[in-house]
Amino acid sequence: MTSISDYSEQLIPLTRDELVAKLKIALDSNRFHHVLRVEQTAIDLAKANGVDLEKASIAGLCHDYAKQRSDADFLAAIDRYGLAPDLKNWANPIWHGVVGAELVKHELGVWDEDILNAIRHHTTGDATMSLLEQVVYMADYIEPGRDFPGVEQARQLTHKLLALGVAYQTKRTLEYLLDHGSPIYPATILTYNAWVPKYEGEING
Ligand SMILES: [Fe+2]
Ligand SMILES: [Fe+2]
């Protein structure tokens, strides 16, 4: 297990300890410990996939930075940062990634687009995802605190090939939304089309 004690690449104007302290204030205890586990899982997946470890650490820690912000905060941020007005028709599960990335940029000073995209797309995925985006998408899904039917298969597929994990999670998430009659964010369908048919034969069984 590799861990990161501090940052040297100037991707964020904070030490890791300072960032962790900010997250401890922004999040309740359960979510704070979740983001620490996502960070570690992201670092491990980054190492296995040749991805920058500091980016994995920062994106893992920051992915849920905005999760506990009020709806009013998100609605104001959509206007302030000129995001698509249609976003106002959605809610926290979508906002904390897509809008949350803007809050991470402007409040924490992270301007690296790869890190911001990993935060933006950590819930919905995207048709095109960099390796860092895939790492964070999967780390959020399989971190050691996760315990749902299928998580072991998700872990195995992810360790075999990151893209298989992405396809598996995307399929399971869409199945869940359909089963519950939930609205489906358009990007989720694009994620499905880009990742699931391609790997369908390898993610079942
Ligand atoms: Fe999240
Ligand atoms: Fe998360």
Side-chain angles (χ1 to χ4, degrees):
M1 182 163 105
T2 305
S3 63
I4 298 262
S5 56
D6 208 355
Y7 300 137
S8 60
E9 296 176 33
Q10 269 129 35
L11 297 161
I12 187 168
L14 299 169
T15 65
R16 183 181 172 281
D17 284 350
E18 288 168 344
L19 174 57
V20 168
K22 281 183 183 285
L23 292 164
K24 197 163 190 179
I25 293 167
L27 303 174
D28 67 27
S29 170
N30 281 345
R31 187 157 282 108
F32 173 70
H33 287 100
H34 162 69
V35 301
L36 292 179
R37 292 190 300 269
V38 170
E39 180 207 18
Q40 187 58 58
T41 306
I43 289 169
D44 293 343
L45 290 174
K47 203 170 177 205
N49 288 280
V51 171
D52 185 295
L53 303 187
E54 287 190 20
K55 289 190 183 189
S57 167
I58 295 166
L61 286 171
C62 293
H63 84 284
D64 274 345
Y65 167 70
K67 181 72 186 172
Q68 292 174 236
R69 300 289 279 263
S70 69
D71 289 0
D73 270 11
F74 285 118
L75 291 167
I78 290 167
D79 286 336
R80 189 181 327 121
Y81 301 124
L83 301 177
D86 172 67
L87 270 171
K88 292 184 181 176
N89 298 318
W90 296 84
N92 182 289
I94 299 300
W95 291 338
H96 85 280
V98 177
V99 187
E102 302 304 317
L103 298 174
V104 168
K105 182 196 281 188
H106 295 280
E107 296 178 6
L108 300 180
V110 176
W111 290 79
D112 182 90
E113 275 299 313
D114 201 13
I115 295 174
L116 295 173
N117 280 332
I119 296 166
R120 267 181 202 116
H121 299 144
H122 83 266
T123 308
T124 63
D126 197 37
T128 305
M129 279 191 274
S130 71
L131 284 173
L132 178 69
E133 292 177 70
Q134 295 176 52
V135 159
V136 173
Y137 185 67
M138 292 319 302
D140 190 29
Y141 196 63
I142 65 169
E143 58 95 341
R146 297 295 196 196
D147 181 20
F148 55 84
V151 71
E152 269 313 316
Q153 192 182 349
R155 290 182 179 126
Q156 284 169 14
L157 289 167
T158 303
H159 289 119
K160 188 172 166 193
L161 180 68
L162 196 52
L164 294 180
V166 172
Y168 181 84
Q169 175 182 177
T170 300
K171 185 175 182 190
R172 295 298 302 264
T173 298
L174 196 59
E175 284 170 351
Y176 179 90
L177 294 169
L178 290 168
D179 281 350
H180 290 76
S182 302
I184 296 168
Y185 189 66
T188 302
I189 296 171
L190 300 180
T191 308
Y192 176 90
N193 284 337
W195 294 88
V196 178
K198 187 173 174 185
Y199 295 107
E200 171 64 13
E202 295 165 83
I203 61 175
N204 288 303

